[in-house]
């Protein structure tokens, strides 16, 4: 189909751009220009704690992209906001880094006070330079790596240099932070040596016209004493961790601007960690990239998509500009890139071994292990997830690599690159919580899995929003709401030992399969096909029978467990298709579609022990398809053409289905673990 696909938002369906398709409902031209103007006024945040002499004369002000200009006089600076007055008497308020270099130099010349923001001194000092602040990463001398030919896998284990940390708590007085505030990844980072912990949380900008700026609350904690310090900051900074020795912190400045490309996104801020403040160390600008831009100039700035500390002086940075991506190893002291890699990958995570000696990266369909300092390819992992979307993690001792994706957990020997284990986990995918909690156990979602047993042995009910494993402890953040205005007054970082001693004692010896699995190879099962499967019934039944036999299951009509296949009609469901201007009479059209539910159920009597269910959604419709027919008739036809056969044929039935009714449970609270 030459048209487009839909994206669902509640019950509305919005059209994606494509040839011969609807366009989303758009505002008129005046509203568009108003949107752009407002975004220019309300964009990025840089604090300037200074007083400026009033300048009544009119001058031309230019935005940072050097695209828009305005004639106005300078009124002054109120806190962090620059105030301008136009010829018609109207005033504008905008932030410093929304202005061009020349304008910022003008303001700097009129400043009379010392800036309070820890990064602003470095920004202002470099504002008159052509690079618009800080060093621009130099790629000229970087060698290109990525020879993915035959390699002899040789990878000595790279464990963490850290001894196990004691279980403890850190409290962060975050204030009245809205529930929708966010943080990067887990939101907190330990230094590799375990000396310090960094926690940062961003408060999103309120709607247009409310006049507040993005802010990042940054906390620095001392692990030995447990004390934490709030570091004031008004830039929108995303944390990317502490250096291995804990002396420096890395952030990426991500100004808020309605998603518009502004050429300013992606500055890397590195600061020294003092006792109660961050002292500027260096700023690295986005690299210049000659990219295959869509809608931008050919010469674009590559924004930072990810970053990680390798050593106290080296960082890995992933840049992207439109269709182009590049991964580089950068010396933060000189700004020079030591090597660069142009991989064909879309995942943004950088997975380092515990000691930082190696990292995993996706290139094409291959998952590569590369020596960080040299860029030398160690080898390629065999048997990676078919979908390519997966999380990867090294075990604490650096001897194993695990992946979580397409409902499979795969484990490799990190020293040889050879696959060791692979087992099915219900609903496990690249967005699942996934971390090692010992060299033998993985926490997947809320369940603790023993990798030898390939089964869950405990469940942890998490009242936490961010978590990961470090220094022998499982760390998670619990936010406590104490105010009545919908905010969270306190965030507590809690470290606990998982699995507990009693869990290990309970499963110290391998239990028999009947205590761990409801389905396992060698069992007898029955297969029942409901009469609701009227089409392709025989083909579907043969396919499922083959899947069960391939799992070493024996089919028998009198078996105590039955796999049931069925399709149920869920009735008519309403949906609204939204069309763009020019489609008079079709805008916001409400129609109905017939919804179906496809199911495979593993049953013991009337009890369902395991299931796979798919409920159909509204069909995609293109402009061409409704040009000579009503929208309802097209939806009816496409619903009737849709058939469940492919879903049953593509269905994967696990060889082992674990029991979950006999799991012990614990709850993760702000006080630590509580047994249920």
């Amino acid at each position: 189909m030459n048209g487009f696909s839909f994206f669902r938002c509640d019950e509305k369906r919005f059209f994606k751009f494509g040839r011969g398709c609807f366009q989303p409902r758009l505002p008129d031209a005046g509203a568009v220009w108003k949107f752009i103007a407002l975004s220019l006024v309300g964009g990025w945040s840089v604090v300037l704690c200074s007083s400026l002499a009033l300048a009544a004369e009119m001058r031309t002000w230019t935005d940072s992209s050097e695209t828009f200009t305005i004639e106005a006089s300078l009124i002054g600076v109120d806190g962090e906001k620059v105030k301008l007055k136009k010829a018609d008497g109207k005033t504008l308020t905008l932030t410093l880094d929304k202005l061009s270099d020349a304008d910022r130099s003008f303001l700097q010349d009129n400043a009379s006070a010392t800036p309070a923001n820890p990064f602003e001194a470095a920004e202002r000092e470099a504002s008159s330079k052509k690079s618009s602040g800080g060093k621009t990463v130099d790629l000229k001398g970087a060698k290109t790596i990525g020879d993915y030919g035959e390699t002899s896998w040789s990878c000595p284990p790279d464990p963490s240099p850290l001894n196990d940390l004691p279980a403890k708590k850190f409290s962060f007085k975050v204030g009245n932070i809205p529930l929708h505030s966010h943080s990067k990844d887990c939101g907190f980072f330990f230094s590799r040596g375990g000396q310090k912990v960094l926690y940062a949380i961003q408060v999103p900008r309120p709607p247009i016209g409310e006049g507040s700026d993005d802010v990042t609350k940054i906390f620095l904690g001392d692990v030995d004493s447990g004390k934490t310090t709030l570091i004031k900051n008004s830039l929108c900074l995303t944390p990317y961790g502490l250096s291995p020795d804990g002396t420096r912190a890395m952030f990426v400045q991500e100004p808020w601007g309605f998603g518009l490309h502004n050429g300013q996104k992606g500055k890397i801020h590195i600061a020294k960690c003092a006792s109660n403040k961050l002292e500027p160390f260096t700023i690295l600008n986005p690299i210049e990239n000659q990219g295959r831009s869509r809608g931008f100039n050919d010469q674009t700035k590559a924004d930072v998509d990810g970053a990680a500390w390798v050593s106290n002086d080296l960082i890995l940075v992933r840049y992207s500009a439109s269709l182009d991506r590049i991964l580089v190893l950068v010396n933060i002291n000189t700004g020079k890139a030591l090597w660069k890699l142009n991989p064909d990958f879309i995942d943004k995570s950088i997975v380092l071994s515990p000691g930082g000696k190696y990292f995993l990266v996706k290139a094409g369909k291959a998952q590569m292990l590369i020596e960080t300092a040299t860029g030398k390819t160690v080898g390629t992992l065999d048997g990676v997830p078919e979908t390519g979307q997966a999380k990867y993690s090294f075990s604490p001792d650096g001897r194993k690599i695990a992946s979580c994706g397409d409902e499979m957990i795969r484990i490799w020997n990190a020293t040889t690159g050879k696959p060791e284990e692979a087992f099915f986990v219900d609903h496990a995918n690249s967005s699942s919580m996934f971390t090692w909690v010992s060299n033998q156990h993985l926490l997947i979602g809320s369940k603790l899995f023993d990798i030898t047993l390939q089964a869950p042995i405990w469940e942890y009910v998490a009242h936490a929003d961010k978590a990961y494993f470090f220094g022998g402890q499982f760390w998670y953040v619990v936010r406590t709401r104490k105010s009545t205005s919908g905010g969270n007054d306190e965030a507590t970082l809690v470290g606990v030992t998982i699995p507990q001693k009693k869990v290990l004692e309970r499963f110290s010896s391998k239990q028999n399969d009947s205590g761990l699995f409801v389905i396992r190879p060698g069992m007898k099962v029955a297969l029942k096909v409901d009469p609701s499967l009227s089409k392709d019934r025989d083909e579907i039944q043969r396919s499922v029978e083959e899947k069960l036999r391939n799992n070493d299951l024996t089919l028998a009509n009198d078996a105590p467990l039955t796999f049931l296949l069925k399709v149920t009609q869920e009735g008519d469901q309403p949906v609204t298709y939204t069309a763009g201007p020019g489609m008079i009479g079709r805008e916001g059209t409400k129609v109905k579609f017939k919804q179906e539910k496809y199911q495979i159920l593993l049953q013991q009597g009337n009890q369902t022990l395991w299931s796979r269910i798919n409920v159909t959604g509204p069909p995609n419709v293109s402009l061409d398809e409704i040009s000579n027919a009503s929208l309802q008739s097209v939806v009816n036809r496409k619903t009737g053409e849709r058939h469940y056969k492919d879903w049953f044929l593509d269905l994967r039935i696990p060889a082992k289905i674990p029991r979950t009714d006999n799991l012990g449970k614990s709850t993760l609270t702000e006080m630590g673990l509580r047994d249920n």
Side-chain angles (χ1 to χ4, degrees), residues 491-511:
T492 303
L493 176 61
V494 186
V496 296
T497 301
I498 292 180
Q500 308 104 294
K501 183 178 179 180
K502 65 178 181 181
V503 176
L504 297 178
E505 290 175 349
R506 178 177 174 180
F507 291 90
S508 58
S509 60
K510 185 174 181 179
Q511 296 190 347

Side-chain angles (χ1 to χ4, degrees), residues 300-605:
T300 62
K301 288 192 174 183
D303 295 334
V304 176
D305 268 345
W309 287 95
V310 173
S311 68
N312 295 323
D313 298 314
L314 299 177
I315 58 173
L316 273 175
V317 186
R318 181 191 189 273
Y319 293 99
S320 68
S322 187
L323 301 179
D324 291 335
R325 303 177 183 92
I326 187 171
L327 188 68
V328 296
L329 180 68
V330 180
N331 186 310
I332 61 174
N333 299 301
T334 64
K336 292 184 178 295
L338 305 183
W339 55 251
K340 57 185 178 181
L341 168 66
N342 294 96
D344 178 21
F345 67 101
I346 58 175
D347 51 320
K348 300 180 181 181
S349 60
I350 299 173
V351 183
L352 285 163
S353 58
K357 188 175 181 180
Y358 306 100
F359 73 95
L360 285 166
V361 65
K362 192 168 192 300
K365 294 184 178 180
Q367 194 72 32
M368 312 297 302
L369 183 70
I370 296 177
E371 190 174 53
T372 312
T374 64
K376 177 184 176 182
T377 301
V378 176
T380 305
L381 292 179
D382 295 325
V384 298
E386 297 175 5
T387 61
Q389 299 296 312
K391 282 183 178 177
Y392 289 82
S393 179
F394 284 86
S395 61
D397 62 6
R399 294 181 179 274
K400 296 181 186 297
I401 298 170
S403 74
C404 175
D406 67 1
E407 299 191 304
M408 291 294 294
I409 303 301
R410 295 173 173 85
I411 299 173
W412 294 265
N413 185 316
T415 61
T416 65
K418 301 297 183 184
E420 288 191 343
E421 308 282 353
F423 54 94
F424 181 95
V425 173
D426 236 0
H427 306 299
N429 54 53
S430 59
S431 62
S432 301
M433 217 258 287
F434 173 69
T435 183
W436 292 88
V437 291
S438 78
N439 295 316
Q440 182 65 24
H441 300 93
L442 287 164
L443 194 62
I444 307 167
S446 63
K447 294 183 175 61
L448 178 73
F449 278 76
D450 184 293
I451 62 174
T452 300
L453 301 178
Q454 300 182 10
I457 61 175
W458 207 261
E459 183 173 9
Y460 293 94
V461 182
H463 291 181
D465 55 359
K466 305 290 178 184
Y468 86 136
F469 179 83
F470 176 78
Q473 302 295 322
F474 181 69
W475 300 89
Y476 56 92
V477 174
V478 177
R479 297 235 208 120
T480 305
R481 182 192 295 182
K482 296 181 179 179
S483 64
T484 58
S485 57
N488 291 268
D489 290 341
E490 188 171 274
T492 303
L493 176 61
V494 186
V496 296
T497 301
I498 292 180
Q500 308 104 294
K501 183 178 179 180
K502 65 178 181 181
V503 176
L504 297 178
E505 290 175 349
R506 178 177 174 180
F507 291 90
S508 58
S509 60
K510 185 174 181 179
Q511 296 190 347
N512 59 53
D513 284 348
S514 62
L516 293 173
F517 301 99
V518 294
I519 286 291
R520 64 191 186 281
M523 291 182 63
K524 289 184 178 181
V525 296
L527 177 63
K528 180 180 178 181
V529 182
D530 191 88
S532 60
L533 272 76
S534 56
K535 300 179 181 178
D536 304 300
R537 175 191 177 96
D538 293 340
E539 182 181 359
I540 292 172
Q541 181 166 344
R542 284 194 301 270
S543 173
V544 175
E545 287 176 350
E546 183 180 2
K547 294 174 191 290
L548 297 175
R549 292 193 182 99
N550 289 340
N551 287 345
D552 294 327
L553 297 172
T554 301
L555 294 173
N557 292 332
D558 59 348
L561 297 176
T562 301
F563 282 98
L564 172 64
L565 311 181
K566 63 187 300 186
V567 175
T568 57
Q569 303 296 324
E570 299 298 292
D572 291 339
Q573 301 293 329
V575 64
T576 299
Y577 292 92
T578 303
M583 297 303 301
I584 300 174
R586 299 186 190 273
E587 296 172 329
T589 306
K590 293 184 179 180
V591 295
K592 293 183 178 180
F593 71 99
K594 294 186 181 298
Q595 193 172 63
E596 295 179 318
K597 182 189 290 184
Y598 315 150
Q599 302 175 79
I600 178 170
L601 309 172
L602 176 62
Q603 296 183 323
Q604 187 173 34

